[in-house]
Amino acid sequence: MRHIGRRGLAAAALGAAASLWAATDAGAAGTRAAGARAAEGPGRSRRPGDHESDEPEHEQDGRGAPGTEFRGMWLATVANRDWPSKPGLTADRQRAELVAFLDTAVERRLNAVVFQVRPTADALWPSPYEPWAQCLTGVQGRDPGWDPLGTAVAEAHARDLELHAWFNPYRVANHTDPSRLVADHPARVHPDWVLPYGGKLYYDPGLPEVRRFVQDAMLDAVRRYDIDGVHFDDYFYPYPVAGQSFADDDTFAAHGAGFPDKAAWRRDNIDRLVREMSEQVHGVDKDVRFGISPFGVWRNKATDPLGSDTRAGVQTYDDLHADTRKWIREGWIDYVVPQLYWHIGNSAADYAKLVPWWDETVRGTGVDLYAGEALYKAGDPAQPAAWQDPAELSRHLTLAGEYPRVGGHVFFSAKEVVTDRIGAMARVVADHYPA
C-alpha cells in the first residue's frame, strides 16, 4: 500500500514501542477550535531533469491494484484547526487525540496522512531553527514535553499509513505584531526578512537568505525523521488583498535585475524555492516524495489558451506567482494535489472541467496526480445546494475515475473526516474504498 523503500521491521518496532507510551484516551478528538482559512489545504516517479518522451509505465495503470491508489487526509494544526483540539492540553491528551485521528484514517480505509508540522514559522518537533509551535501549549517556544512529529511518524507507520510532513514556507504569523513572537524567533532576529500583509506576517520570498533559511528549517525534519513525503500547501506569495500591496519594492530593486517586471521576478523566486527544495529533499533521502497542493486553477483559458476552462477569481500563476504547471512539466515535484474545491457544475470553476485539465497537464511527466477534495464543504449550510447532497463527493471520485492519471484523492480535512457532518465521507468509503 505504501510507497516505501526503507521502511519495515525497524519502523514497525518503533511504532509498537511508541504505542506503549501513547495514551489510550482516544475519544478526545471531538471539539475543535475554529480558525484557519478553510482552503488550507502527496509519491516519486521522476527525478528533476529526467525528461521522458513516452508515457511513463506506471501511468498506464495509474490507479493500480486495489489499495494502491492514494487515499489521504490533511491534518491541520494552524490555529488548532484540527489538532490539538485546543492549546495547552497535557502531552498524554495531545498524543491520544493524534492517535485517534490516525485510527480514524484507518477506519475510513485511507492510507496517508498529510500532517501540518510547520504552520507559522514554528515547529512540531524540536527544531534547532525555529521555536516550538504555539498551537501545542498556547505559548510559542514552550516545550510540550514530547515530540509530535516523531510520534506521528511512528504511529502512522505502525498502522501502515504514509506520513507526509506538511510545511508552509513563508507564513510567519496570523497577525502583524512581531513583538508577539518569541524573543529569539528568526523573524525578530532578522526583522528585515519580514513583511506585513493582509493582517499577517510573511517572510519575504525575494530574499535569497530567507529562501536558504526556510529550506534549512524544513530539511531538518527530513534528516531527523522517517517521513514519506514533504508537502507544501497553496501559500507562496500571499493571496491578494484588495487595496493592499506586498511591500517588496526594495527587495526587487536589490535582486530583480534582468527581469522584465516584478511578477516575473516573483515567479522566479518561487521556482527557485521549489526546484532547490526538490533537489535537497532527494539529496537527503531519495525515498522521500516531494509534493505540492496548489489552488486548483493555474490560469483561466481567457488569460492563457493553455489554461483551464474556468473563470476563477484567483489564478496561481498571476496572483500567487506560483507556476504550478511549470513545476510539473520540469519534473521538480513528485506529485501534485490541486485543491479542486468546487462542486460539479460550478459556473466559475467546474470540478468536471478541472479534473481533465490536470489529467492532461501531468500526462507524460511522471508526476503523480491526486485530487484535493473539499470535504469541509459537505453539509455546510453556507455552501450551495450541491454540497448539501451526501453523494456529491462520491460523484467526484466516480468522475475522476474516468481519467487514468488521477491516482487518488486527499480530503480536507481531518476534523471533517471524523465528524462527517452529512455522511459524505461514509458514502465515499462505501462507494469507492472497499474493504
Side-chain angles (χ1 to χ4, degrees):
M1 181 184 296
R2 288 161 55 213
H3 312 280
I4 294 171
R6 60 189 175 88
R7 318 298 178 205
L9 293 176
L14 179 61
S19 296
L20 294 176
W21 55 265
T24 57
D25 176 23
T31 58
R32 301 285 184 266
R37 170 184 171 273
E40 274 202 299
R44 167 170 38 288
S45 303
R46 176 163 69 89
R47 290 282 169 259
D50 182 14
H51 297 280
E52 302 178 27
S53 57
D54 299 320
E55 195 81 353
E57 181 178 342
H58 83 283
E59 287 195 353
Q60 295 171 7
D61 59 350
R63 301 180 72 82
T68 62
E69 66 182 320
F70 197 92
R71 305 173 180 177
M73 72 178 186
W74 280 288
L75 177 54
T77 60
V78 64
N80 298 91
R81 202 274 176 197
D82 294 329
W83 178 87
S85 58
K86 60 182 179 180
L89 298 176
T90 65
D92 284 348
R93 183 68 177 273
Q94 289 180 0
R95 281 193 295 263
E97 288 190 355
L98 180 58
V99 168
F101 275 119
L102 301 179
D103 286 340
T104 297
V106 173
E107 292 165 6
R108 297 295 194 178
R109 300 174 190 159
L110 305 180
N111 56 26
V113 174
V114 183
F115 182 37
Q116 190 175 34
V117 300
R118 186 177 182 268
T120 50
D122 48 18
L124 271 74
W125 75 95
S127 168
Y129 295 92
E130 294 177 309
W132 279 106
Q134 182 175 355
C135 65
L136 296 171
T137 65
V139 179
Q140 189 176 65
R142 178 177 292 173
D143 188 334
W146 66 299
D147 182 352
L149 177 53
T151 300
V153 170
E155 294 288 353
H157 290 171
R159 290 161 175 76
D160 202 28
L161 295 166
E162 290 190 15
L163 196 290
H164 291 239
W166 165 17
F167 304 88
N168 185 286
Y170 292 121
R171 181 175 55 206
V172 173
N174 288 320
H175 57 76
T176 58
D177 183 2
S179 69
R180 291 171 57 185
L181 303 174
V182 65
D184 60 351
H185 194 291
R188 294 187 67 177
V189 175
H190 303 280
D192 53 312
W193 288 5
V194 181
L195 293 172
Y197 181 77
K200 300 179 182 182
L201 292 174
Y202 296 92
Y203 283 129
D204 185 347
L207 293 172
E209 56 270 35
V210 162
R211 188 172 69 251
R212 287 192 296 270
F213 172 79
V214 299
Q215 289 169 346
D216 288 344
M218 294 183 288
L219 286 163
D220 181 66
V222 183
R223 293 188 177 96
R224 286 172 178 251
Y225 300 100
D226 193 26
I227 62 176
D228 298 285
V230 167
H231 185 97
F232 288 178
D233 56 20
D234 53 323
Y235 289 90
F236 295 98
Y237 278 88
Y239 278 81
V241 176
Q244 297 190 30
S245 298
F246 192 69
D248 58 353
D249 287 349
D250 290 345
T251 312
F252 179 49
H255 299 283
F259 291 93
D261 52 40
K262 186 188 286 187
W265 168 73
R266 285 178 171 177
R267 278 190 294 274
D268 182 71
N269 292 329
I270 305 303
D271 284 351
R272 289 172 184 264
L273 171 76
V274 171
R275 184 182 69 248
E276 294 169 5
M277 192 67 186
S278 177
E279 293 169 350
Q280 293 182 76
V281 166
H282 296 144
V284 171
D285 187 339
K286 62 182 179 58
D287 289 328
V288 176
R289 307 165 77 197
F290 179 42
I292 293 179
S293 174
F295 179 77
V297 175
W298 171 70
R299 299 188 96 185
N300 297 317
K301 184 179 289 186
T303 305
D304 187 324
L306 295 175
S308 52
D309 185 13
T310 51
R311 291 173 294 283
V314 172
Q315 303 170 89
T316 61
Y317 180 95
D318 303 274
D319 297 309
L320 309 183
H321 305 97
D323 192 351
T324 51
R325 183 178 181 275
K326 179 179 180 179
W327 307 340
I328 292 169
R329 306 308 294 184
E330 294 291 336
W332 294 342
I333 57 178
D334 298 313
Y335 68 85
V336 63
V337 193
Q339 296 176 21
L340 305 184
Y341 288 177
W342 300 277
H343 61 271
I344 295 172
N346 183 284
S347 59
D350 187 346
Y351 185 92
K353 293 180 178 179
L354 281 162
V355 168
W357 186 88
W358 285 99
D359 181 81
E360 176 61 23
T361 296
V362 303
R363 183 171 64 87
T365 66
V367 174
D368 291 323
L369 170 63
Y370 314 125
E373 302 288 351
L375 176 62
Y376 74 95
K377 288 187 175 181
D380 181 349
Q383 297 296 329
W387 290 108
Q388 312 311 315
D389 183 351
E392 174 67 21
L393 277 185
S394 181
R395 286 193 287 268
H396 287 200
L397 273 70
T398 298
L399 186 153
E402 299 173 5
Y403 295 89
R405 285 166 290 275
V406 181
H409 302 260
V410 185
F411 300 92
F412 190 86
S413 67
K415 178 169 64 176
E416 285 75 21
V417 172
V418 170
T419 58
D420 198 16
R421 185 163 32 201
I422 59 172
M425 190 69 206
R427 181 69 175 265
V428 165
V429 174
D431 292 350
H432 301 281
Y433 296 163

Coordinates of all heavy atoms in Angstrom, one line a residue, residues 150-178:
G150 N 7.7 13.0 15.6 CA 8.3 11.7 15.8 C 7.2 10.7 16.1 O 7.2 9.6 15.6
T151 N 6.3 11.1 17.0 CA 5.2 10.2 17.4 C 4.3 9.9 16.2 O 3.9 8.8 15.9 CB 4.4 10.8 18.5 OG1 5.2 11.0 19.6 CG2 3.2 9.9 18.9
A152 N 4.0 10.9 15.4 CA 3.1 10.8 14.3 C 3.7 9.8 13.2 O 3.0 9.0 12.7 CB 2.8 12.1 13.6
V153 N 5.0 9.9 13.0 CA 5.7 9.0 12.0 C 5.6 7.6 12.5 O 5.2 6.7 11.8 CB 7.1 9.4 11.8 CG1 7.9 8.4 11.0 CG2 7.2 10.8 11.1
A154 N 6.0 7.4 13.8 CA 6.0 6.0 14.3 C 4.6 5.4 14.3 O 4.4 4.2 13.9 CB 6.6 6.0 15.7
E155 N 3.6 6.2 14.8 CA 2.3 5.6 14.9 C 1.6 5.5 13.6 O 0.8 4.5 13.4 CB 1.4 6.6 15.8 CG 1.8 6.6 17.3 CD 1.5 5.4 18.1 OE1 0.8 4.5 17.5 OE2 2.0 5.3 19.2
A156 N 1.9 6.3 12.6 CA 1.3 6.2 11.3 C 1.9 4.9 10.6 O 1.2 4.1 10.1 CB 1.7 7.4 10.4
H157 N 3.2 4.7 10.7 CA 3.8 3.5 10.1 C 3.4 2.2 10.8 O 3.2 1.2 10.1 CB 5.3 3.7 10.1 CG 5.8 4.7 9.2 ND1 7.2 5.1 9.2 CD2 5.2 5.4 8.2 CE1 7.3 6.1 8.2 NE2 6.1 6.3 7.6
A158 N 3.1 2.3 12.1 CA 2.6 1.1 12.8 C 1.2 0.7 12.2 O 0.8 -0.4 12.4 CB 2.5 1.4 14.3
R159 N 0.5 1.7 11.7 CA -0.8 1.4 11.1 C -0.8 1.3 9.6 O -1.8 1.3 8.9 CB -1.7 2.6 11.5 CG -2.1 2.6 13.0 CD -2.6 3.9 13.4 NE -3.0 3.8 14.8 CZ -2.2 3.8 15.9 NH1 -0.9 3.9 15.7 NH2 -2.7 3.7 17.1
D160 N 0.4 1.2 9.0 CA 0.6 1.1 7.6 C 0.1 2.3 6.8 O -0.5 2.2 5.7 CB 0.0 -0.2 7.0 CG 0.6 -0.6 5.7 OD1 1.8 -0.2 5.4 OD2 -0.1 -1.2 4.8
L161 N 0.2 3.5 7.5 CA -0.2 4.8 6.8 C 1.1 5.5 6.4 O 2.1 5.5 7.2 CB -0.9 5.7 7.8 CG -2.3 5.2 8.3 CD1 -2.7 6.0 9.6 CD2 -3.3 5.3 7.2
E162 N 1.1 6.2 5.3 CA 2.1 7.1 4.9 C 2.0 8.4 5.8 O 0.8 8.8 6.1 CB 2.1 7.5 3.5 CG 2.5 6.4 2.5 CD 2.6 6.9 1.1 OE1 2.7 8.1 0.9 OE2 2.7 6.1 0.2
L163 N 3.1 9.0 6.1 CA 3.1 10.2 6.9 C 3.8 11.3 6.1 O 5.1 11.2 5.9 CB 3.7 10.0 8.3 CG 3.4 11.1 9.3 CD1 4.2 12.4 9.0 CD2 1.9 11.4 9.5
H164 N 3.1 12.2 5.5 CA 3.7 13.3 4.8 C 3.8 14.6 5.6 O 2.7 15.0 6.2 CB 2.9 13.6 3.5 CG 3.0 12.5 2.5 ND1 3.5 12.7 1.2 CD2 2.7 11.2 2.6 CE1 3.5 11.5 0.6 NE2 3.0 10.6 1.4
A165 N 4.9 15.1 5.8 CA 5.1 16.3 6.6 C 4.8 17.6 5.8 O 5.4 17.8 4.8 CB 6.6 16.4 7.1
W166 N 3.8 18.3 6.3 CA 3.2 19.5 5.6 C 3.8 20.7 6.1 O 3.7 21.0 7.3 CB 1.7 19.4 5.7 CG 0.9 20.6 5.3 CD1 1.2 21.7 4.6 CD2 -0.5 20.7 5.7 NE1 0.2 22.5 4.5 CE2 -0.9 22.0 5.2 CE3 -1.4 19.9 6.4 CZ2 -2.2 22.4 5.4 CZ3 -2.7 20.4 6.6 CH2 -3.1 21.7 6.1
F167 N 4.4 21.5 5.3 CA 5.1 22.8 5.6 C 4.5 23.9 4.9 O 4.1 23.8 3.8 CB 6.6 22.7 5.3 CG 7.4 21.6 5.8 CD1 7.4 20.4 5.1 CD2 8.1 21.7 7.0 CE1 8.2 19.3 5.6 CE2 8.8 20.6 7.5 CZ 8.8 19.4 6.8
N168 N 4.4 25.1 5.6 CA 4.1 26.3 5.0 C 5.4 27.2 4.9 O 5.9 27.5 6.0 CB 3.0 27.1 5.7 CG 2.6 28.4 5.0 OD1 3.4 29.3 5.0 ND2 1.4 28.3 4.4
P169 N 6.0 27.4 3.7 CA 7.3 28.0 3.7 C 7.4 29.4 4.2 O 8.4 29.7 4.9 CB 7.6 28.0 2.2 CG 6.8 26.9 1.6 CD 5.5 27.0 2.4
Y170 N 6.5 30.3 4.0 CA 6.7 31.7 4.2 C 5.8 32.4 5.2 O 6.1 33.5 5.7 CB 6.6 32.5 2.9 CG 7.7 32.2 1.9 CD1 7.4 31.6 0.6 CD2 9.0 32.4 2.2 CE1 8.4 31.3 -0.3 CE2 10.0 32.1 1.3 CZ 9.7 31.5 0.1 OH 10.7 31.2 -0.8
R171 N 4.7 31.8 5.6 CA 3.9 32.4 6.6 C 4.6 32.4 8.0 O 5.0 31.4 8.5 CB 2.5 31.7 6.7 CG 1.6 32.3 7.7 CD 0.2 31.7 7.7 NE 0.3 30.2 7.9 CZ -0.5 29.3 7.5 NH1 -1.6 29.7 6.7 NH2 -0.4 28.0 7.7
V172 N 4.6 33.6 8.6 CA 5.3 33.8 9.9 C 4.2 33.8 11.0 O 4.4 33.2 12.1 CB 6.1 35.0 9.9 CG1 6.7 35.3 11.3 CG2 7.3 34.9 8.9
A173 N 3.1 34.6 10.8 CA 2.2 34.7 11.9 C 0.8 35.1 11.3 O 0.8 35.8 10.3 CB 2.6 35.7 12.9
N174 N -0.2 34.8 12.0 CA -1.6 35.2 11.6 C -2.0 36.5 12.3 O -3.1 36.8 12.7 CB -2.6 34.1 11.9 CG -2.5 32.9 11.0 OD1 -2.2 33.1 9.8 ND2 -2.6 31.7 11.6
H175 N -1.0 37.4 12.5 CA -1.1 38.7 13.0 C 0.1 39.5 12.5 O 0.9 39.0 11.8 CB -1.2 38.7 14.5 CG 0.0 38.1 15.2 ND1 1.3 38.8 15.2 CD2 0.2 36.9 15.7 CE1 2.1 38.0 15.8 NE2 1.5 36.8 16.1
T176 N 0.1 40.8 12.8 CA 1.2 41.7 12.2 C 2.1 42.3 13.3 O 2.8 43.3 13.1 CB 0.6 42.8 11.4 OG1 -0.3 43.6 12.2 CG2 -0.1 42.3 10.2
D177 N 2.0 41.7 14.5 CA 2.8 42.3 15.6 C 4.0 41.4 15.9 O 3.9 40.4 16.6 CB 1.9 42.4 16.9 CG 2.6 43.0 18.1 OD1 3.8 43.4 17.9 OD2 2.0 43.2 19.1
P178 N 5.2 41.8 15.5 CA 6.4 40.9 15.7 C 6.7 40.7 17.2 O 7.3 39.7 17.6 CB 7.5 41.7 15.1 CG 6.9 42.5 14.0 CD 5.5 42.9 14.6

